[in-house]
Amino acid sequence: MLEIRNLHVAIEDGTKKILNGLNLTIRDGEVAAIMGPNGSGKSTLSYVIAGKDDYEVLDGEILLDGENLLEMEPDARAAAGVFLAFQYPLEIPGVATMTFLKAALNAQRKGRGENELTTPDFMKRVKVGAEKLGIPQDMLKRGLNVGFSGGEKKRMEILQMALLEPSIGILDETDSGLDIDALKIVSEGVNALRSAKRSFLVITHYQRLLNYIVPDTVHVMSKGQIVRTGGKELAFELEANGYADYVTNAAA
Amino acid sequence: MVAVKETVEQVKQLDVDQYKYGFSTELEVEKAPKGLSEDIVRFISMKKGEPSWMLDWRLDAFRRWKTMDEPQWARVHYPKIDFNDSYYYAAPKKNAAPKTLDDVDPAILETYKKLGIPLREQELLAGVQTSKIAVDAVFDSVSVVTTFKEELKKAGVIFCSISEAIKDHPDLVKKYLGSVVPVTDNYYATLNCAVFTDGSFVYIPEGTRCPMELSTYFRINEKNTGQFERTLIIAEKGSYVSYLEGCTAPQRDENQLHAAVVELVALDDAEIKYSTVQNWYPGDADGKGGIYNFVTKRGDCRGANSKISWTQVETGSAITWKYPSCILRGDNSRGEFYSIAVSNGYQQVDSGTKMIHLGKNTSSRIISKGISAGHSQNTYRGQVSAHRKATNARNFTNCDSLLIGETCGAHTVPYLESKNASAVFEHEATTSKISEDQLFYCRQRGLSAEEATALIVNGFVKDVLQQLPMEFAVEAQKLISISLEGSVG
Ligand SMILES: Nc1ncnc2c1ncn2[C@@H]1O[C@H](COP(=O)(O)OP(=O)(O)O)[C@@H](O)[C@H]1O
Ligand SMILES: [Mg+2]
């Protein structure tokens, strides 16, 4: 279970507040969607959960299964089960995707006090995962994300999530830049990972993705706060009416 | 990849003291009196039991050196060197003339063991490694032992110390010594001619593929002692040799001078592959101590279709001044330079290469990867030139710099010169930083800051690491991450 209480965040120099007392709870097995206008702080929330340096947490707490994430290094949070599928995945030239996957997987296993995977075992997992997402084998030999299309990068994020088996998967605008076929493949990849123990935080600007990854709850974010919470039907309402209401409300 | 894992592990094990070769060995040594004079030159020659032609060559060089000035053009800064404040000869006493390993002082063998150098042939043979490496080990001023001599002899290969070669193969030495790097080539090379103490000699006969990797390990042990080694490699027509060189030194507060000369000669259809892992003591975290490394390395592709390739991994030394070069004299000859230069702390690196195209259809390739961290300055300096007669000369240069942190510098100084209109030179250069975003991305996937840095750096240097023989590639990868320890976080 992920619990975020009264979270206040500014950018590092402290001049600009981005999150203003955000509250959000995601139960085990729940798929929560966050929707909101551009600039409302959705990516910031995902970065703060994952532990990016650029932000200053002024107040509040983030607990994963009761553990205080804010006191942990980013790699420790990853080992504890936080996975962030980036809105803009980074390129690591010269590091074969396969090499990166293995390094990451074994680092996390080590972080949890587990044994490293044997190479055949690892290769098998990658092969199965890649096939499901339509990722060709030779892409795994190329430098991570180097020269990948937007859609390929997003698929690679999902492959990483599948291998790393997090307890909470955060998807930051994974649908952006995907055509409908890719959207389906990626959504199927995510749906296959849904389980009673694993929760998801699906960040999106558009309702479309939620046709494929059907959420349990939908939260509307504006000006760094959750301003409304409902079921999956809330997404349709937003799609029909836009965010205009929330932008003015929150500003008022 | 095993190597990545090892890198990561190596980084983990590190203590505050990063330079693991910093120990010194207590030995009884015989030294020349301190300082530099004709008498010292005579002393060295006498100690080596050299013939008079060699002494004359040295004395001639010494007289010329006295008229020369230290070069100033490199982007390195250091207090003026007092050449009279050094010892120019130091030899372990017991090592009068070791015939076999059993004659070598056990303390020296212990030192090489600590350095991970397999001198004992039987150990090597019994080991799991499939490849054999013949080793020549130079301790301060003398070569202590050369392994696998007998086996090499069967193939007709000569692999011995240069001191032995001067006595046993004077005709070869006379013919080739100074034929690639002339006596007056530059200040440090000329000094080396006068006072060189030992080094390796390799001769590969016509049509012979050297049956194993050859390797020399250089170790400076004595305080205040300069090391001036001299290496000469001759590959006769149609022969092939791969040669590895490794260097370490103890941790000392004062700077020590190292001025080597390496000459390579490749005749028709011959190929020489020369790899270096240079890890001289780089100085402490405040920039105190460390080796001044002023080295002249040059290969002469003297024959048609010959090939010389230099691969270097430079992680040590307080100052590096080094430009392994190729003279592409034979038609269709090829020169290659692959370099990884890592600098951290207060290290200053000014390194690169020269590709001198003289013959027709000659080609060269330069891949340079500079990594700067800490307060270091890292300069790539490269010259590519095509002579009037060098029709169809081709060069490709790729020169990438990676910066870690805000206080270091990377510089690229290419010189291109073509006197033949058909020459085609391509030059690519990039400078990048390990971005915070890249690091965060890796850490989000579970890698620690050190692991993430090691991984990104390994990716950056991959093209060059691939050029190294396997045994060295793993060692080099470890070294690079050790050198960068403490540069993140
Ligand atoms: N590192 C940063 N430095 C400065 N401003 C930032 C930084 N990160 C986010 N912001 C600002 O914070 C606000 C919220 O951004 P973001 O979290 O990316 O919103 P969203 O993902 O909802 O579009 C925007 O105004 C953005 O410009
Ligand atoms: Mg965003």
Side-chain angles (χ1 to χ4, degrees):
Chain A
M1 185 159 76
L2 183 76
E3 296 163 277
I4 303 174
R5 295 198 195 113
N6 189 34
L7 188 65
H8 290 265
V9 171
I11 46 178
E12 211 176 26
D13 59 13
T15 51
K16 185 176 172 190
K17 269 197 82 183
I18 303 173
L19 301 183
N20 299 294
L22 184 136
N23 291 291
L24 179 68
T25 297
I26 306 175
R27 285 169 288 108
D28 287 350
E30 178 180 335
V31 175
I34 288 192
M35 301 181 72
N38 282 330
S40 56
K42 303 185 296 294
S43 291
T44 301
L45 174 63
S46 69
Y47 285 144
V48 171
I49 297 170
K52 197 172 187 211
D53 251 352
D54 314 0
Y55 303 95
E56 194 179 341
V57 177
L58 304 171
D59 199 5
E61 56 186 5
I62 306 178
L63 306 174
L64 179 65
D65 300 325
E67 263 192 289
N68 187 353
L69 288 184
L70 292 177
E71 283 176 358
M72 295 156 71
E73 291 292 310
D75 34 318
R77 298 187 199 197
V82 175
F83 181 91
L84 170 60
F86 283 59
Q87 184 171 358
Y88 304 106
L90 277 294
E91 298 183 359
I92 317 278
V95 178
T97 301
M98 197 66 115
T99 305
F100 181 84
L101 295 176
K102 195 167 179 204
L105 188 54
N106 282 330
Q108 288 204 16
R109 293 178 72 94
K110 214 158 107 194
R112 291 191 292 261
E114 298 165 10
N115 283 340
E116 290 194 353
L117 282 182
T118 63
T119 302
D121 192 5
F122 165 76
M123 299 291 276
K124 210 173 100 198
R125 290 186 193 207
V126 176
K127 198 162 173 267
V128 170
E131 260 167 33
K132 276 190 195 153
L133 289 161
I135 295 171
Q137 287 295 306
D138 68 279
M139 221 166 105
L140 298 170
K141 293 179 195 145
R142 285 159 55 189
L144 180 69
N145 290 329
V146 179
F148 291 13
S149 70
E152 287 170 337
K153 286 182 184 170
K154 295 297 172 75
R155 269 187 258 184
M156 195 54 77
E157 294 292 285
I158 304 304
L159 174 60
Q160 293 185 44
M161 183 164 74
L163 290 171
L164 295 171
E165 304 177 313
S167 50
I168 171 116
I170 305 168
L171 310 180
D172 190 1
E173 305 225 12
T174 296
D175 51 334
S176 68
L178 291 188
D179 61 31
I180 192 75
D181 293 330
L183 185 68
K184 278 184 190 164
I185 292 171
V186 164
S187 303
E188 275 163 26
V190 173
N191 287 331
L193 295 173
R194 290 177 78 155
S195 81
K197 282 299 293 168
R198 183 171 298 131
S199 12
F200 288 91
L201 177 58
V202 180
I203 295 172
T204 182
H205 192 69
Y206 301 104
Q207 182 270 337
R208 188 180 68 155
L209 175 68
L210 304 180
N211 288 334
Y212 299 95
I213 304 174
V214 181
D216 300 305
T217 51
V218 174
H219 307 269
V220 183
M221 184 157 169
S222 173
K223 305 263 162 111
Q225 285 180 317
I226 300 297
V227 292
R228 197 170 156 202
T229 294
K232 61 176 180 254
E233 60 293 338
L234 181 52
F236 293 101
E237 192 188 312
L238 288 169
E239 185 77 356
N241 302 341
Y243 293 111
D245 290 354
Y246 300 100
V247 177
T248 38
N249 278 356
Chain B
M1 239 170 88
V2 184
V4 171
K5 200 188 106 204
E6 293 204 351
T7 302
V8 161
E9 238 125 62
Q10 193 80 17
V11 172
K12 281 265 159 72
Q13 286 164 10
L14 285 167
D15 224 320
V16 197
D17 175 18
Q18 301 170 31
Y19 191 73
K20 70 168 179 173
Y21 306 108
F23 61 88
S24 60
T25 310
E26 287 299 326
L27 287 172
E28 260 197 275
V29 290
E30 177 173 25
K31 279 184 185 171
K34 208 176 196 177
L36 186 53
S37 64
E38 279 199 19
D39 283 346
I40 294 293
V41 175
R42 285 176 201 280
F43 178 93
I44 293 169
S45 188
M46 184 263 293
K47 275 288 158 197
K48 298 268 161 199
E50 286 176 355
S52 60
W53 59 266
M54 195 66 240
L55 174 63
D56 293 343
W57 196 77
R58 288 175 180 276
L59 288 171
D60 175 54
F62 183 68
R63 285 165 200 149
R64 288 162 183 260
W65 179 74
K66 282 198 296 191
T67 68
M68 296 167 81
D69 293 316
E70 235 179 308
Q72 303 292 336
W73 44 262
R75 196 188 173 94
V76 291
H77 304 280
Y78 53 92
K80 196 152 176 52
I81 299 170
D82 180 359
F83 287 92
N84 275 315
D85 195 31
S86 234
Y87 294 96
Y88 288 82
Y89 181 84
K93 259 195 180 152
K94 286 193 188 166
N95 194 52
K99 285 280 173 292
T100 69
L101 275 171
D102 296 331
D103 299 334
V104 177
D105 188 330
I108 293 181
L109 291 181
E110 187 55 34
T111 302
Y112 282 109
K113 206 169 133 197
K114 272 200 224 170
L115 296 170
I117 300 160
L119 279 179
R120 298 233 164 233
E121 293 169 28
Q122 52 277 42
E123 267 179 25
L124 243 184
L125 289 167
V128 273
Q129 282 164 298
T130 46
S131 62
K132 280 190 281 182
I133 303 176
V135 180
D136 182 21
V138 177
F139 203 85
D140 288 330
S141 302
V142 290
S143 167
V144 284
V145 70
T146 310
T147 62
F148 283 113
K149 256 187 178 163
E150 284 310 308
E151 199 170 333
L152 289 166
K153 209 165 156 187
K154 270 185 231 148
V157 171
I158 304 171
F159 179 38
C160 62
S161 70
I162 193 97
S163 308
E164 281 173 85
I166 289 166
K167 279 178 268 183
D168 300 345
H169 309 283
D171 294 343
L172 285 173
V173 175
K174 271 191 212 169
K175 182 169 175 190
Y176 291 105
L177 190 74
S179 75
V180 185
V181 178
V183 171
T184 51
D185 187 79
N186 68 74
Y187 189 77
Y188 307 110
T190 308
L191 176 62
N192 174 287
C193 291
V195 300
F196 77 85
T197 41
D198 222 327
S200 299
F201 176 82
V202 176
Y203 177 81
I204 315 289
E206 189 168 335
T208 302
R209 193 181 167 86
C210 186
M212 62 187 84
E213 304 264 1
L214 303 183
S215 172
T216 301
Y217 274 85
F218 294 104
R219 173 80 176 164
I220 299 179
N221 188 60
E222 273 304 299
K223 236 179 150 148
N224 272 329
T225 302
Q227 179 150 324
F228 303 90
E229 82 264 355
R230 185 101 201 173
T231 295
L232 177 58
I233 300 178
I234 302 143
E236 285 280 7
K237 287 181 184 173
S239 68
Y240 168 84
V241 63
S242 167
Y243 182 91
L244 321 170
E245 175 202 275
C247 336
T248 58
Q251 218 155 330
R252 303 217 185 264
D253 285 347
E254 76 279 350
N255 297 105
Q256 280 174 289
L257 182 61
H258 173 253
V261 172
V262 176
E263 295 179 282
L264 313 181
V265 180
L267 298 169
D268 289 356
D269 303 300
E271 179 176 349
I272 302 175
K273 193 172 158 52
Y274 193 107
S275 313
T276 305
V277 174
Q278 184 267 109
N279 185 26
W280 297 119
Y281 178 54
D284 71 9
D286 300 319
K288 195 163 185 218
I291 303 291
Y292 289 169
N293 193 30
F294 300 108
V295 172
T296 304
K297 291 185 166 177
R298 196 170 303 155
D300 189 353
C301 286
R302 209 163 279 185
N305 308 311
S306 57
K307 179 176 169 187
I308 289 179
S309 93
W310 298 101
T311 304
Q312 59 171 26
V313 177
E314 303 279 309
T315 59
S317 297
I319 292 178
T320 303
W321 182 101
K322 179 179 171 188
Y323 317 89
S325 304
C326 297
I327 301 167
L328 304 169
R329 202 183 300 277
D331 289 347
N332 309 313
S333 61
R334 180 169 172 82
E336 293 175 343
F337 174 75
Y338 299 100
S339 171
I340 298 170
V342 181
S343 57
N344 197 357
Y346 286 87
Q347 283 178 274
Q348 305 175 60
V349 179
D350 195 300
S351 184
T353 185
K354 282 194 252 182
M355 293 291 172
I356 313 292
H357 293 257
L358 302 178
K360 291 187 186 58
N361 303 317
T362 48
S363 62
S364 59
R365 182 178 162 86
I366 299 171
I367 308 284
S368 162
K369 306 277 180 180
I371 302 164
S372 346
H375 299 274
S376 68
Q377 295 294 330
N378 203 324
T379 302
Y380 167 81
R381 189 182 302 277
Q383 179 186 350
V384 180
S385 70
H387 187 263
R388 208 162 36 78
K389 291 181 181 154
T391 304
N392 289 327
R394 292 281 178 277
N395 167 264
F396 173 76
T397 298
N398 173 272
C399 180
D400 297 328
S401 308
L402 185 69
L403 297 164
I404 302 175
E406 309 293 334
T407 48
C408 55
H411 317 274
T412 303
V413 190
Y415 305 89
L416 297 174
E417 186 188 30
S418 174
K419 295 205 174 106
N420 184 307
S422 66
V424 178
F425 295 164
E426 286 175 77
H427 183 94
E428 290 174 359
T430 65
T431 300
S432 51
K433 280 191 72 160
I434 293 188
S435 74
E436 290 299 320
D437 287 348
Q438 271 179 324
L439 280 177
F440 174 65
Y441 184 80
C442 294
R443 297 190 70 190
Q444 205 305 300
R445 298 303 186 245
L447 300 168
S448 68
E450 284 88 1
E451 289 168 332
T453 306
L455 193 76
I456 294 168
V457 168
N458 281 338
F460 179 73
V461 301
K462 194 190 74 183
D463 296 349
V464 175
L465 276 187
Q466 282 172 343
Q467 299 297 328
L468 283 174
M470 258 300 278
E471 298 84 346
F472 260 32
V474 176
E475 188 187 337
Q477 200 156 23
K478 284 182 196 169
L479 251 181
I480 292 165
S481 48
I482 291 169
S483 308
L484 290 172
E485 167 74 347
S487 62
V488 285

